[in-house]
Amino acid sequence: MFVKNRSTKTRNAVEEALVMVRLARPADWWYFLPAPVLGAHLSGLSWSQPLPMLSAACCLAFAYGINGLYDRDHDSPRKNPFAGRATLPRRSIGLVWLLPLPAILLSALGLTSLWPLVSLAGGALYSAPPLRLKRVPLLGDLMNLAIFLPLLFSPAGMTLASGGWAWLLWLALQLEFSQVLHCIQDADEDRRRGLGNLVGLLGPRRARLLLLLLAPSSLLVTLGVAPLGVRLAMTAGSFISIGLALASLKNRGSARGHRLLHRYLSVAVLGLSFTPNSAVAACFEPSPLIPRGADPYTELKPTHLSDRK
């Protein structure tokens, strides 16, 4: 009997863990995990440990998990394991609110910066009552940026100096482009749920025109990025956005098409900007975030680039 009860408890624990993984939806944000790597390289810091990526994973899991908790009345069972439930087990609610704990501890111990705390606050303000700012057009968009952008700054000792605003603005424009696509794909569903988004505020046509404004704007911003290799990668990402904006205009009535566009945009643009740029940016000196005349080997602390001939 004891062995049987122990087996049942183990099986229940595994099932609960799988439910929490489904709620956190890592398939929707895994490609953003290299954000701290990009931030470290572009600020002139060497990459020596994975703790900022762990912090980023906790922040994103919390943002998506808490969104699932409070969207369960409207989400489909395929998307949300708690869909349709009037009440939730206290343990499930507690586990979601415990997800930020590793990120908070890493920041408190100085192993990462304080910026992940901004991301956690953005996730809570975006989804959790009483504010649930995702219901408010424009404010919801700002909170969405507040979830993702701070993760770039999660490595301890990262700075933002001369030239850094260009690539930061480029990424903000790309994230907003992705968010507008998301609003377009969910416009009908949000209207039924009584949620406000940019499509409801601007209308479908103006929302698509906003895509055509954001994509070329990100292309112009690349002119302020100093390293040629980084600029070329970001330029490629901007041209992808322009192509997707034009495709969105031709695919107005297909929600599935908008979902695919959103996924392709996220994976392609973030893949082009994060993975190659992390290697490319480390080859250029000085870093775009280091002021002119500063020594990239001695000005930044606590981690320095190793000497290279």
Side-chain angles (χ1 to χ4, degrees):
M1 181 65 70
F2 175 77
V3 174
K4 184 177 180 180
N5 289 339
R6 185 174 182 181
S7 176
T8 301
K9 289 181 179 180
T10 301
R11 184 170 60 253
N12 291 339
V14 171
E15 290 176 355
E16 186 175 11
L18 292 175
V19 167
M20 296 307 297
V21 170
R22 284 185 58 202
L23 185 68
R25 292 159 51 192
D28 290 337
W29 49 260
W30 64 266
Y31 46 81
F32 210 87
L33 285 181
V37 182
L38 176 70
H41 281 306
L42 290 182
S43 63
L45 298 175
S46 64
W47 184 253
S48 58
Q49 39 83 21
L51 292 180
M53 290 184 68
L54 173 62
S55 179
C58 293
C59 292
L60 293 171
F62 171 72
Y64 279 80
I66 196 172
N67 186 67
L69 282 184
Y70 296 107
D71 273 3
R72 65 185 186 277
D73 292 339
H74 311 286
D75 284 345
S76 67
R78 184 177 180 181
K79 178 181 179 182
N80 190 336
F82 294 138
R85 293 194 187 184
T87 59
L88 291 176
R90 291 184 178 180
R91 180 182 296 183
S92 298
I93 297 174
L95 287 174
V96 170
W97 283 98
L98 283 176
L99 286 172
L101 186 58
I104 294 173
L105 288 176
L106 289 173
S107 293
L109 294 173
L111 300 174
T112 62
S113 70
L114 297 178
W115 283 101
L117 304 183
V118 177
S119 175
L120 293 172
L125 292 172
Y126 182 79
S127 299
L131 295 179
R132 272 181 66 78
L133 294 178
K134 65 178 296 179
R135 301 175 297 181
V136 184
L138 299 181
L139 279 179
D141 291 63
L142 290 176
M143 286 301 102
N144 184 67
L145 293 177
I147 294 171
F148 291 95
L149 283 182
L151 300 181
L152 285 154
F153 302 94
S154 54
M158 183 177 169
T159 60
L160 183 65
S162 177
W165 292 107
W167 64 266
L168 184 62
L169 179 57
W170 178 86
L171 183 59
L173 289 169
Q174 293 289 355
L175 286 171
E176 181 59 21
F177 184 95
S178 180
Q179 179 68 6
V180 174
L181 271 180
H182 185 73
C183 289
I184 292 174
Q185 80 177 45
D186 288 347
D188 293 337
E189 180 183 352
D190 287 347
R191 192 181 304 111
R192 290 193 299 268
R193 294 162 57 183
L195 298 177
N197 69 23
L198 280 177
V199 177
L201 180 67
L202 301 176
R205 180 171 179 79
R206 290 180 179 176
R208 290 182 170 89
L209 290 175
L210 178 59
L211 291 177
L212 290 177
L213 176 64
L214 290 170
S217 297
S218 70
L219 184 61
L220 292 176
V221 169
T222 61
L223 298 176
V225 179
L228 180 59
V230 177
R231 185 188 304 172
L232 290 176
M234 290 182 171
T235 299
S238 297
F239 275 114
I240 288 176
S241 299
I242 293 172
L244 289 173
L246 294 173
S248 179
L249 286 173
K250 296 180 180 180
N251 195 20
R252 298 180 182 180
S254 172
R256 183 175 183 275
H258 291 154
R259 292 190 191 99
L260 290 175
L261 289 173
H262 178 257
R263 183 61 54 85
Y264 291 156
L265 171 74
S266 300
V267 174
V269 171
L270 294 178
L272 278 170
S273 58
F274 286 171
T275 308
N277 284 359
S278 297
V280 172
C283 300
F284 288 87
E285 302 177 51
S287 162
L289 299 189
I290 300 174
R292 291 183 181 277
D295 184 352
Y297 300 112
T298 58
E299 290 294 322
L300 292 174
K301 296 179 180 181
T303 309
H304 305 293
L305 289 170
S306 59
D307 291 336
R308 292 193 298 259
K309 297 296 182 182

